[in-house]
Amino acid sequence: MTTTKTLYLLCSAAPPVFDVAHVIEDAQSRGWDVCLGLTPTAAHWLSGNLDGLAALTGHPVRWQYKLPGEPDVWPAADALLVAPATFNTVNAWALGLTDRFAVGVAAEAIGKGTPVVTMPCANAALAAHPQFDQSLAVLRGAGVSVLLGEDGFTPGPAGPDSPAHFPWPVALDAVDRVTSSAA
């Protein structure tokens, strides 16, 4: 008997979000049932693909909180991957500013003890801001596996529209590791 685990893939508006369909397919090939959550700007960027992404995952793509009394349309998460996690998302999450659905779900997962992996995606200028290091330290201290630098995404210079390479497979490998060690 095969048991499928549920992965919440929470994406911010950074250029690697345009590869999310391939990431979902890769996660599914690893045995994950994927639920896709987006920041509002990421939802805007992918607006022409939301129906296709919902069909690919078998779940509604979410970027807004449900209304009180509405049923939850996603199964419970076994793990979360927050990637690409922009400068704004990382800082809001660490500070507990949960006005955006994806950040709120990620913040709540920490309190639930759900394994969480994040791969930030910020340029070197933003990554040099002192709040960014503080926020990453807060997330690490809360048990979040942060993939930045040699073990994940390496920030490049400010200015380019997209990083040369966003290591999605490294992020999914980390999710597999944290869930196998939690089992």
Side-chain angles (χ1 to χ4, degrees), residues 18-175:
F18 291 112
D19 295 327
V20 74
H22 295 106
V23 178
I24 292 167
E25 290 168 342
D26 188 3
Q28 289 170 332
S29 74
R30 296 168 183 239
W32 289 101
D33 177 26
V34 181
C35 296
L36 178 62
L38 304 169
T39 62
T41 302
H44 174 70
W45 287 9
L46 297 175
S47 62
N49 301 318
L50 296 177
D51 289 341
L53 291 167
L56 179 62
T57 64
H59 302 284
V61 177
R62 296 192 56 198
W63 63 93
Q64 295 177 319
Y65 286 107
K66 65 182 183 66
L67 294 174
E70 287 184 337
D72 198 346
V73 294
W74 286 357
D78 294 294
L80 274 75
L81 173 57
V82 183
T86 61
F87 177 81
N88 189 46
T89 292
V90 167
N91 290 323
W93 182 15
L95 293 169
L97 304 176
T98 60
D99 60 324
R100 290 176 290 141
F101 170 77
V103 175
V105 171
E108 192 173 64
I110 292 171
K112 290 180 174 180
T114 306
V116 182
V117 173
T118 188
M119 188 174 294
C121 184
N123 65 44
L126 289 173
H129 190 285
Q131 183 59 51
F132 192 65
D133 279 341
Q134 291 175 22
S135 293
L136 293 174
V138 166
L139 295 175
R140 285 184 181 110
V144 175
S145 177
V146 178
L147 306 174
L148 186 66
E150 289 181 18
D151 297 328
F153 176 74
T154 302
D161 279 342
S162 64
H165 175 68
F166 193 76
W168 283 109
V170 171
L172 291 173
D173 289 347
V175 170

